[in-house]
Amino acid sequence: MSDVAKMKEAAFPAPTVEEWEREAEKSLKGKPLERLVSMTYENIAVKPLYTRCDVEALGPLEQYPGFGQYVRGARPEGYRGGPWKVSQEISAASPSEWNEAVKHDLERGQTEIHFALGRLPFAVESVEDMAAMFAGVPLDRYSLRVNAGARSLSFLALLVAYFKEQGVPLSSVRGAIGMDPLGAWAEQGTLPCSLERLYDEMAEATKWAKEQMPAVRTILVRGEPYHNGGANAVQELAFSLAAAVEYIRAGLDRGLTVDDIATRMQVSLAVGADFFMEIAKLRAARRLFAQVIEAFGGGESARRIELHVRTSPFTKTVYDPYVNMLRAAAEAFAAVVGGADGVHVSPFDEAIGLADEFSRRIARNTQLILLEEAHMASVIDPAGGSYYVETLTAKLAEEAWKLFQRVEEKGGMAKALEAGFVQAEVEAVAKRRLDRVKMRKEKIVGTNVYANLEETPVEKPKQDAANVAPPLDEKRVADIRSTLVSGNWVEAAIGAARRRATAREIAAALADGNTSIRIAPIRAWRLAEPFERLRKAAEKHAERTGSRLSVHLINIGPLVRHQARADFIAGLFAAGGVAAERSDGFASVAEAVEWVQSTNGTHYIVCGADDDYPAFVPALAEAFKQAKPNAKLYVAGKPPEELERTYADAGVDGSIHLGSNAYDVIVAFLTERGVALDGEVR
């Protein structure tokens, strides 16, 4: 028998957990194994190793997709029965440009028409606007996803009026034309009318769609308002679940059944950078929603939620934006592994401005590569059975359920928002994220680490200010309101739209004259914003003065002794748009002082090895302060306490090290250099 054949037949004994732990402890060189346990933003301890014992402790797991609580997927055949919808959200500067973009993208792999009314730079006010947007678009071949914001009935009326005029059968329309008043309230802090009236509109649209557009969902439950405010996965799940329960109760109160509501509900979540956590979040979402709908008495089909997923805007950056392609690809991969029914991938320039043809193409092709080249549609629930993912899924569902119950104790999602409970919970996690970003424990490549000061920025044309809306035709509003009193709201609104009433006029007629309670909104932000703010301020200063701000590095000894710390300091200040002027490695204090005198810097940092500092730094500091009494001198690295006092006595102004708050260090430098900084990012 050949050696190769013997190798193939050879079996390796399975190592025990105890053996693995012994080897791991050896690699840690005496440090406890607990050092490998990490704590997530969800306060979930993640172990370095998961085994069969972890899964067995969870009890029986679902064995097949399409059954039970749908943890393993909503359909038994997974994507093999049909891939996820390539549902890229499209925006453009005008209705005609949007029309060109959507036709272009549908011809090149997009499979769902998707837009959000609140994010379009133009208003969709009339049937003519609809005609401009959808001219030549084969609406019978594609599903439609419209995020209408707080209310959808007036938009739905315009769209149906357009369909009727074009002869499009309403029964052939599929997708989602939905509203999410609680999500809009959380984002904006206010609503166009009372929450009760918006629930009335939601119920009316849902009843009408059940009869006329049975393949269209009318209720959106969006987790993005919480995610984009900095929420963790537990919060996004719990608050989305609480909003869904509020909508179910509102619908039941208005004559709908739980099956009517749940089968016309679409859940939308964002997927961020924590790959396995986000996979587990989508799996836990299906379990939680199935659990709630079952508790309301919903049937099997009602428990199977439709899950739209978008890659996170929270993780994207303005600087080094091409890195966003990698971020979005990893997030899209997590969305597909987690079993999304439809996916939007962020264009890499999303944080800068409207996507162009190139950025839309890259985002769309990210999905097509996952589908066509990575063959992701060929595997049913690839995460199923993973000891880690199954454990994380169960833990996430458990913690989200606990937080959901706390919201219920507050009286439900609306009451929790009104009391500020939701906002406070999100803010607490957002602050932790912000602190970690500023300390550079949360790394953002191209922004707070590995910033490239020589990059060419991606420029976007400035958008013209939105057109001022014309005044309402009060007579027409009154006429529409009179038809609502005795008839079906949706049919009355469609009739008004066909008589060329505008969306604003229809909405005004539907309003009840009451306003919602104003609450503190959950402000959307991005992780990169703190350092982007500093870098923009430094760039404006450079434009005004003609030169980039810089710090000067006094390097000690040969390259091997000072390079690591010199690179660390240069990288830290680059995150704020500040360059580092490096010296050669000095062998004596006299050489260093001579170089200092030849420069015109204001801030100097000594970079070298710890062993070289005691003999060099005190003497340098005394000579430095004589040569440049108004300049600042720091050392790179954290000296022991007794040496720190010695250095301070000699004239050293402080130290900059791995434990320093990089953001605060840069703010102090920019402020001392007279750079104007706007208010704090959050």
Side-chain angles (χ1 to χ4, degrees):
M1 185 182 293
S2 68
D3 290 340
V4 173
K6 289 180 181 179
M7 289 173 63
K8 288 182 178 179
E9 291 183 358
F12 294 95
T16 65
V17 174
E18 291 75 18
E19 288 173 328
W20 180 89
E21 288 177 347
R22 283 197 297 270
E23 291 301 317
E25 285 174 347
K26 286 180 186 177
S27 68
L28 291 171
K29 298 179 180 178
K31 295 176 183 175
L33 199 59
E34 288 71 24
R35 288 288 296 271
L36 297 179
V37 176
S38 60
M39 189 65 68
T40 71
Y41 286 114
E42 293 75 16
N43 291 321
I44 294 174
V46 175
K47 302 190 299 183
L49 179 69
Y50 287 81
T51 67
R52 184 182 298 274
C53 294
D54 293 291
V55 174
E56 289 173 349
L58 302 176
L61 296 177
E62 290 188 5
Q63 295 299 309
Y64 303 103
F67 298 94
Q69 294 182 329
Y70 306 105
V71 173
R72 298 204 62 189
R75 296 174 293 177
E77 71 278 18
Y79 293 134
R80 294 177 67 86
W84 67 90
K85 287 174 281 191
V86 179
S87 183
Q88 293 297 121
E89 181 184 326
I90 296 177
S91 189
S94 67
S96 59
E97 289 183 30
W98 188 91
N99 175 264
E100 291 302 317
V102 74
K103 288 190 291 189
H104 179 276
D105 291 5
L106 289 173
E107 291 171 357
R108 290 162 177 80
Q110 180 147 338
T111 59
E112 182 169 70
I113 302 166
H114 176 191
F115 61 94
L117 287 179
R119 288 195 286 268
L120 290 174
F122 56 88
V124 183
E125 275 289 294
S126 64
V127 175
E128 285 72 25
D129 290 336
M130 291 289 181
M133 291 178 69
F134 291 112
V137 177
L139 293 166
D140 57 331
R141 288 168 46 196
Y142 298 97
S143 61
L144 181 65
R145 183 176 194 274
V146 181
N147 171 9
R151 63 196 318 182
S152 63
L153 206 154
S154 55
F155 173 84
L156 179 63
L158 293 181
L159 186 64
V160 173
Y162 172 73
F163 285 159
K164 286 178 177 289
E165 292 180 6
Q166 296 299 311
V168 177
L170 297 185
S171 59
S172 70
V173 182
R174 63 189 190 278
I177 305 167
M179 57 189 285
D180 178 21
L182 289 175
W185 201 24
E187 284 174 322
Q188 300 160 16
T190 187
L191 289 170
C193 58
S194 71
L195 199 54
E196 289 301 312
R197 177 47 63 102
L198 293 176
Y199 289 160
D200 292 340
E201 287 190 29
M202 180 185 286
E204 289 296 315
T206 302
K207 291 174 185 176
W208 183 88
K210 176 186 175 183
E211 300 299 328
Q212 303 295 329
M213 286 175 143
V216 170
R217 296 174 186 264
T218 53
I219 303 168
L220 298 185
V221 177
R222 295 180 303 125
E224 296 101 313
Y226 319 107
H227 175 94
N228 294 340
N232 61 32
V234 165
Q235 293 170 333
E236 188 178 358
L237 286 173
F239 298 147
S240 299
L241 193 65
V245 167
E246 191 105 351
Y247 295 157
I248 291 172
R249 288 178 176 142
L252 293 175
D253 290 343
R254 289 160 176 80
L256 291 162
T257 68
V258 64
D259 282 27
D260 291 338
I261 301 161
T263 55
R264 281 159 190 84
M265 180 182 289
Q266 184 186 81
V267 179
S268 177
L269 300 174
V271 167
D274 191 338
F275 183 73
F276 290 104
M277 183 68 73
E278 299 301 330
I279 293 171
K281 181 174 75 179
L282 302 185
R283 301 172 91 246
R286 287 193 294 272
R287 171 179 167 179
L288 289 167
F289 277 84
Q291 188 173 316
V292 160
I293 294 166
E294 184 177 14
F296 275 100
E300 183 178 343
S301 61
R303 297 196 298 268
R304 188 188 298 116
I305 64 163
E306 184 172 88
L307 197 56
H308 175 83
V309 178
R310 68 156 294 149
T311 60
S312 173
F314 186 71
T315 61
K316 305 308 180 291
T317 63
V318 169
Y319 290 100
D320 213 350
Y322 297 104
V323 180
N324 291 333
M325 296 181 188
L326 305 178
R327 296 185 179 105
E331 292 164 2
F333 185 28
V336 172
V337 172
D341 295 298
V343 178
H344 162 82
V345 175
S346 308
F348 72 88
D349 52 0
E350 179 181 54
I352 301 170
L354 282 178
D356 56 24
E357 183 180 333
F358 174 70
S359 60
R360 294 200 321 269
R361 174 191 173 201
I362 295 299
R364 183 178 64 252
N365 282 354
T366 299
Q367 297 205 52
L368 298 179
I369 288 170
L370 289 172
L371 177 63
E372 304 290 351
E373 297 187 21
H375 305 291
M376 291 300 298
S378 300
V379 183
I380 301 174
D381 187 24
S386 160
Y387 302 144
Y388 176 33
V389 175
E390 296 288 6
T391 304
L392 199 54
T393 300
K395 190 65 177 175
L396 263 181
E398 177 186 348
E399 294 302 316
W401 187 258
K402 290 177 184 176
L403 181 55
F404 162 70
Q405 289 178 314
R406 290 175 64 196
V407 174
E408 288 292 282
E409 289 169 1
K410 301 286 181 184
M413 189 60 177
K415 294 291 186 185
L417 281 167
E418 188 179 331
F421 171 77
V422 174
Q423 296 90 323
E425 290 288 307
V426 172
E427 182 63 26
V429 177
K431 186 178 184 306
R432 286 171 54 200
R433 292 187 190 275
L434 188 64
D435 290 343
R436 285 180 57 82
V437 166
K438 289 181 176 182
M439 295 288 291
R440 301 203 304 170
K441 292 179 180 178
E442 181 95 13
K443 294 177 173 58
I444 307 171
V445 173
T447 300
N448 70 350
V449 295
Y450 307 118
N452 177 14
L453 295 181
E454 305 305 321
E455 72 173 280
T456 302
V458 173
E459 300 288 349
K460 290 285 182 181
K462 291 184 178 180
Q463 294 297 315
D464 295 332
N467 295 327
V468 178
L472 293 174
D473 184 330
E474 294 297 343
K475 183 179 183 305
R476 181 177 282 170
V477 171
D479 290 343
I480 298 170
R481 188 175 289 123
S482 67
T483 64
L484 295 174
V485 174
S486 57
N488 179 294
W489 282 14
V490 181
E491 290 295 343
I494 294 168
R498 298 196 72 176
R499 295 190 300 273
R500 292 314 185 252
T502 67
R504 290 176 62 245
E505 289 167 344
I506 296 170
L510 288 165
D512 57 359
N514 298 319
T515 57
S516 68
I517 297 170
R518 183 174 291 276
I519 62 171
I522 299 173
R523 190 182 71 81
W525 62 293
R526 292 177 295 104
L527 275 176
E529 284 181 14
F531 285 92
E532 289 174 354
R533 164 182 173 259
L534 301 184
R535 192 158 162 187
K536 287 175 183 175
E539 288 171 353
K540 287 182 180 178
H541 184 273
E543 290 173 5
R544 189 172 65 253
T545 62
S547 62
R548 188 191 298 276
L549 290 167
S550 63
V551 294
H552 288 69
L553 310 188
I554 304 173
N555 296 325
I556 301 174
L559 188 65
V560 69
R561 302 285 285 177
H562 68 250
Q563 183 173 13
R565 279 184 168 153
D567 288 347
F568 165 74
I569 293 295
L572 185 151
F573 279 95
V578 180
E581 302 290 341
R582 306 189 189 211
S583 70
D584 294 330
F586 299 119
S588 69
V589 169
E591 290 176 345
V593 172
E594 183 180 353
W595 178 77
V596 167
Q597 289 175 321
S598 69
T599 63
N600 60 354
T602 60
H603 292 68
Y604 294 78
I605 298 102
V606 181
C607 300
D610 286 337
D611 295 345
D612 296 334
Y613 280 174
F616 200 98
V617 171
L620 172 65
E622 291 178 3
F624 177 91
K625 289 299 181 180
Q626 291 180 3
K628 291 211 166 189
N630 296 322
K632 295 287 187 79
L633 180 67
Y634 299 87
V635 293
K638 185 168 179 57
E641 189 174 340
E642 62 277 8
L643 280 177
E644 196 167 28
R645 286 196 298 269
T646 300
Y647 297 164
D649 291 342
V652 173
D653 293 287
S655 60
I656 302 172
H657 48 83
L658 284 171
S660 297
N661 184 311
Y663 178 85
D664 288 348
V665 168
I666 299 168
V667 165
F669 170 81
L670 294 177
T671 302
E672 289 165 5
R673 293 300 305 271
V675 176
L677 297 176
D678 296 332
E680 174 60 273
V681 171
R682 289 185 53 74

